[in-house]
Amino acid sequence: MLGLSGCASDGGLGELAVMAAMVAPIPGDASALLTTAAVAGGAVALVSASSTESTPGAVPVPGQAAAYKPDLQMLVTRETPERYRPRTCEYIEMALIEVPGYVGSTEPLLQQAGEARKVAASQVWYEKGCTQANLPRGIIGVHMDTVDAVSAARIAAPTMGVLIDRTGPGSGAQNAGILSGDIVVAVNDQPIADSIDFRLAVAKAPIGTSVNLKYWRAHNFYTVPVFVASSGNPPPVLPLAVRSSATPLKATSASLQGMSLGVVTPSYAKAVGLASAQGAWVTNTVKGSVADQAGIKPLDVIVEVSGQEVATAQDVADISSRMRVGYKATVSVWRNQAKRDVQMVLRNE
């Protein structure tokens, strides 16, 4: 059984807006989601595939859609600057291109993930001095999900790559015989870790050429050339956050250190269930810092410090600067749709 962890289209239209058509509540369990691409054992047939890697005489067996509860919260918590610092500017650009699809979703956690990605990826974009590459934007006509490693391991499927949900009518992928349930693990012999890697590899391919997709189906690997078409769309305007949206706290004699704080926008407040756009959004924490030791996590929203209401990031610095070093401050954070308190011992740095 394979899980959903960030579905996307390689066409760049709506990106994750296809989520609503790909998942739906299962009767009797409001927390469960069903994806038609979740399969046990492979797709329904082998069509137009050529490979020297498949087992001789192997006959793909019909798959069966299976219920799975995707961890949407994981999509939110992974969106920190650390995810993007080791990656190229092109990868970050493609990640930002997917943001509008998240934000435009009707699922609150996906909206939250989009807001978090916008801030996290933008922060690293500025750190690296990235500029937009304006890639050729080649497409092969697929909607796909990043493979859920835990679920894939249970059926001995590849734990990295993209799970094909469906192909577009008349697309290169459909003409090549790519089917719902296939797992693409490499493009032109380059391993694919997630949907961003996949879309980037295809987008960089010259229009009118073919890319070789290595995919897994029914416990075998196959390779097939797939025609790359033009998306027909102009380069998108990247949804970059403003530089000032994630500002490190200024060190004071007794400050709440080790955090980068951002502005709580109305859309982010709505996504996380806050009544108003107030508080200080924790966009990053430094490992081993006061904030990290206290259990404050990226994407928390600080709403109070020692009983004093926090409206902006500057309030956190101002309130804490009036406290003595060594004082154990109660910090109230908003996390997972609920308010909770952590204890933080202030120190000099």
Side-chain angles (χ1 to χ4, degrees), residues 166-229:
R166 64 184 185 275
T167 60
S171 66
Q174 185 183 72
N175 292 336
I178 299 297
L179 300 176
S180 172
D182 289 344
I183 298 177
V184 178
V185 297
V187 177
N188 290 336
D189 295 324
Q190 294 298 311
I192 297 301
D194 55 27
S195 64
I196 300 174
D197 269 344
F198 177 85
R199 295 180 66 248
L200 180 59
V202 174
K204 293 171 70 173
I207 305 300
T209 63
S210 293
V211 291
N212 289 320
L213 299 191
K214 181 178 180 180
Y215 64 95
W216 180 92
R217 179 189 295 172
H219 303 287
N220 285 281
F221 286 103
Y222 305 89
T223 301
V224 64
V226 181
F227 181 77
V228 179

Side-chain angles (χ1 to χ4, degrees), residues 243-249 259-262 283 313:
R243 288 177 183 268
S244 60
S245 65
T247 306
L249 285 173
M259 295 181 290
S260 294
L261 300 180
T283 60

Side-chain angles (χ1 to χ4, degrees), residues 5-232:
S5 61
C7 58
S9 151
D10 75 328
L13 295 175
E15 312 300 343
L16 300 186
V18 297
M19 171 66 77
M22 298 169 72
V23 296
I26 296 175
D29 186 350
S31 66
L33 297 176
L34 174 68
T35 171
T36 56
V39 295
V44 293
L46 178 61
V47 183
S48 303
S50 61
S51 174
T52 59
E53 301 179 55
S54 59
T55 303
V59 179
V61 297
Q64 181 177 1
Y68 175 69
K69 297 180 181 179
D71 184 3
L72 296 184
Q73 184 62 46
M74 180 267 292
L75 299 185
V76 180
T77 55
R78 72 178 180 177
E79 295 299 340
T80 64
E82 281 68 27
R83 181 187 182 194
Y84 299 102
R85 287 197 174 104
R87 307 309 297 257
T88 65
C89 287
E90 290 177 336
Y91 181 94
I92 299 170
E93 177 179 330
M94 193 61 74
L96 287 166
I97 287 173
E98 288 190 352
V99 164
Y102 279 97
V103 176
S105 169
T106 58
E107 166 58 52
L109 281 176
L110 291 179
Q111 295 173 13
Q112 188 177 345
E115 293 285 348
R117 175 179 290 191
K118 180 178 179 179
V119 171
S122 294
Q123 180 176 331
V124 181
W125 178 273
Y126 293 130
E127 289 175 4
K128 289 176 173 283
C130 295
T131 56
Q132 190 164 356
N134 294 326
L135 300 171
R137 300 284 290 169
I139 62 172
I140 62 172
V142 295
H143 291 268
M144 68 279 183
D145 310 330
T146 296
V147 169
D148 178 77
V150 174
S151 299
R154 292 173 183 158
I155 61 166
T159 56
M160 297 180 66
V162 294
L163 174 67
I164 301 299
D165 178 81
R166 64 184 185 275
T167 60
S171 66
Q174 185 183 72
N175 292 336
I178 299 297
L179 300 176
S180 172
D182 289 344
I183 298 177
V184 178
V185 297
V187 177
N188 290 336
D189 295 324
Q190 294 298 311
I192 297 301
D194 55 27
S195 64
I196 300 174
D197 269 344
F198 177 85
R199 295 180 66 248
L200 180 59
V202 174
K204 293 171 70 173
I207 305 300
T209 63
S210 293
V211 291
N212 289 320
L213 299 191
K214 181 178 180 180
Y215 64 95
W216 180 92
R217 179 189 295 172
H219 303 287
N220 285 281
F221 286 103
Y222 305 89
T223 301
V224 64
V226 181
F227 181 77
V228 179
S230 171
S231 68

Side-chain angles (χ1 to χ4, degrees), residues 326-337:
Y327 177 77
K328 182 180 287 187
T330 298
V331 179
S332 299
V333 300
W334 186 261
R335 180 190 303 164
N336 296 339
Q337 308 287 318

